Amino acid sequence: AQTVTQSQPEMSVQEAETVTLSCTYDTSENNYYLFWYKQPPSRQMILVIRQEAYKQQNATENRFSVNFQKAAKSFSLKISDSQLGDTAMYFCAFHQGGSEKLVFGKGMKLTVNP
Amino acid sequence: NAGVTQTPKFRVLKTGQSMTLLCAQDMNHEYMYWYRQDPGMGLRLIHYSVGEGTTAKGEVPDGYNVSRLKKQNFLLGLESAAPSQTSVYFCASSYFTEAFFGQGTRLTVV
């Protein structure tokens, strides 16, 4: 079974600072995708960034980047120049090729303070 | 640009009542998912489907049933609601690169 672990339930950071959110996962397969989703108070789930397991290069989307360590099964999200609008729940997710299961971690509440 | 639409958005049920949540997507996605979100528990997968006519169990399937008779629709049923099923329910559809979510259904069972 695939599992996704987010060990930090809550973090806070000052505006303009950099913060890293951690995620580990467990799988015996090689074909999968990893995602970070953001859920602001509106409850809408928003894709932040994705990483294909077969790609060695870490994904980057503007202020968001990942550190994908396949051997360690680690997938952390770095948010640079934090903004007030980054305040949200962040979920790490794993999509298994083959079974097509999409499994989420428990989430982490990030608060960006002015 | 409807994307993924869930109905209803809110519902209060009495213990033992039944109901069906409807998820509709207009993106021609093969994969569809039902999750429940509870405080501190994240999104837990209830059931999912990899195509029309197929369904599979997720992490917490007990007390729920699903059907995918048409590719664009994925129905979640509660045959006999229990207070433990009070939650926010999310539907999603995807094809590998991104999952699209509905707005959620807040269900309260009293």
Side-chain angles (χ1 to χ4, degrees):
Chain A
Q2 295 80 35
T3 60
V4 178
T5 302
Q6 294 179 250
S7 57
Q8 308 150 302
E10 194 165 351
M11 293 181 74
S12 63
V13 65
Q14 294 300 119
E15 199 173 5
E17 289 185 345
T18 294
V19 62
T20 299
L21 287 60
S22 64
C23 173
T24 58
Y25 59 94
D26 184 27
T27 184
S28 57
E29 304 294 330
N30 284 315
N31 178 24
Y32 55 88
Y33 293 76
L34 294 161
F35 306 88
W36 279 98
Y37 279 85
K38 167 185 176 180
Q39 186 183 43
S42 67
R43 214 167 67 185
Q44 181 64 40
M45 295 290 287
I46 302 165
L47 177 67
V48 175
I49 198 166
R50 63 173 164 259
Q51 174 80 43
E52 292 89 341
Y54 63 87
K55 289 188 177 179
Q56 292 186 337
Q57 186 173 5
N58 289 327
T60 300
E61 288 286 342
N62 300 314
R63 297 184 295 108
F64 300 90
S65 61
V66 299
N67 183 5
F68 174 46
Q69 301 289 327
K70 190 172 183 178
K73 296 179 183 174
S74 170
F75 182 61
S76 60
L77 173 69
K78 185 172 82 171
I79 306 175
S80 304
D81 187 25
S82 297
Q83 300 176 358
L84 297 178
D86 294 334
T87 293
M89 286 290 294
Y90 285 81
F91 293 95
C92 180
F94 173 97
H95 184 144
Q96 176 66 60
S99 73
E100 314 311 338
K101 261 187 182 180
L102 178 59
V103 179
F104 285 77
K106 291 186 176 182
M108 195 219 70
K109 182 179 180 182
L110 176 68
T111 303
V112 180
N113 298 307
Chain B
N1 289 345
V4 179
T5 303
Q6 285 182 236
T7 52
K9 290 187 171 41
F10 302 93
R11 185 73 185 269
V12 178
L13 282 180
K14 292 183 178 179
T15 297
Q17 286 185 321
S18 64
M19 78 164 293
T20 300
L21 283 69
L22 171 62
C23 178
Q25 55 102 356
D26 60 3
M27 295 169 284
N28 203 35
H29 286 161
E30 293 291 338
Y31 314 139
M32 295 188 75
Y33 306 87
W34 275 108
Y35 297 91
R36 59 177 291 173
Q37 184 176 18
D38 304 291
M41 300 300 291
L43 276 77
R44 291 183 292 171
L45 182 62
I46 304 171
H47 286 281
Y48 66 105
S49 169
V50 298
E52 182 179 310
T54 74
T55 62
K57 294 181 179 179
E59 303 166 274
V60 289
D62 294 342
Y64 306 95
N65 57 75
V66 288
S67 65
R68 184 109 180 259
L69 298 179
K70 293 183 178 180
K71 187 177 185 178
Q72 63 267 36
N73 296 336
F74 195 30
L75 279 63
L76 178 70
L78 286 74
E79 289 188 350
S80 179
S84 61
Q85 294 177 304
T86 293
S87 188
V88 178
Y89 291 84
F90 283 95
C91 173
S93 74
S94 84
Y95 189 70
F96 282 119
T97 56
E98 182 174 354
F100 294 82
F101 286 80
Q103 287 289 92
T105 297
R106 182 174 292 280
L107 174 66
T108 302
V109 182
V110 297

